[in-house]
Structure formats: C-alpha cells, structure tokens
Amino acid sequence: MSFTWVNLVALVVGLPCFFVGGYLNGPAELKILDFLPPDFRGSINQKAYVAAFAYELYIPLEVRRQYFISTVLMGIALVSASILMFQINNPVAKVLAPLMGIAAVGSMIGTTRRYLKSTRLR
C-alpha cells in the first residue's frame, strides 16, 4: 500500500472519529436503555432495541443528539476504513471496500433522516 494523501486523510479523519464516536456511544446507549421498557433491557438483542428506539420522542433530545453524533462519527470512521481497504492489492478488498463505503454512507443518511424527524416540532 503506497502512502498517498488519500491514505493520510483517511487516517487523520478516521481514527479520531472512531475514538470519539466510541467514547460517546457507550453513555448514550446506557441512557437510552434507561428509557426502554423493562422487557428489552436484559435481552440478547439489546443493541438492536437501542438502535430501534433511539429516536423515539419520549427519549430526551440531548440523548438522541449524543447517539446521533456517535453513530455518524462511527460511519465516517467506516468510510475512512473502506478507503484504506480499497488501497490494498487484493481483489476481494477491491470489491468489498466500495460496498462497505456505500453501506456506511447510506446508513448515515438514514440515521440523519430519523434524527431530523425526531426533532421536528409536532
């Protein structure tokens, strides 16, 4: 893998996004768990329930905002990782890297739409 400006940008942007997003995500998920019904708290699919109910109106706006920011930062880190993965001279990586990048961008768009819908005045 040659060291180009694209790799440098992906590393400089991706690593801080990964660390900050991971740092914000844990407390946000714990706060969201406090607002979920008791049936969902001890379940195996606890993370799926948090993601599904994260943007409901009964969860405070600050918690939703923190979860949204952490999710988007982790998405940016995934896009940076896919850019780095594309630089590898491996046919499988050349196919999977664009798919991973497109999926991460699509997920960030969907997350942004859900967050903006949850902040709209009713």
Side-chain angles (χ1 to χ4, degrees), residues 6-80:
V6 173
N7 295 349
L8 182 66
V9 169
L11 284 171
V12 168
V13 170
L15 285 174
C17 285
F18 176 75
F19 289 127
V20 173
Y23 177 76
L24 291 175
N25 195 13
E29 283 189 1
L30 290 176
K31 290 176 190 172
I32 291 170
L33 275 177
D34 292 340
F35 292 98
L36 290 182
D39 307 346
F40 298 126
R41 288 189 194 150
S43 173
I44 294 173
N45 300 326
Q46 185 171 325
K47 282 196 167 289
Y49 293 135
V50 167
F53 292 110
Y55 299 106
E56 295 295 324
L57 293 179
Y58 56 84
I59 295 177
L61 180 63
E62 190 58 39
V63 176
R64 286 183 277 165
R65 181 179 297 130
Q66 184 178 357
Y67 185 76
F68 166 70
I69 290 171
S70 70
T71 305
V72 169
L73 285 175
M74 293 302 271
I76 293 170
L78 269 174
V79 170
S80 297

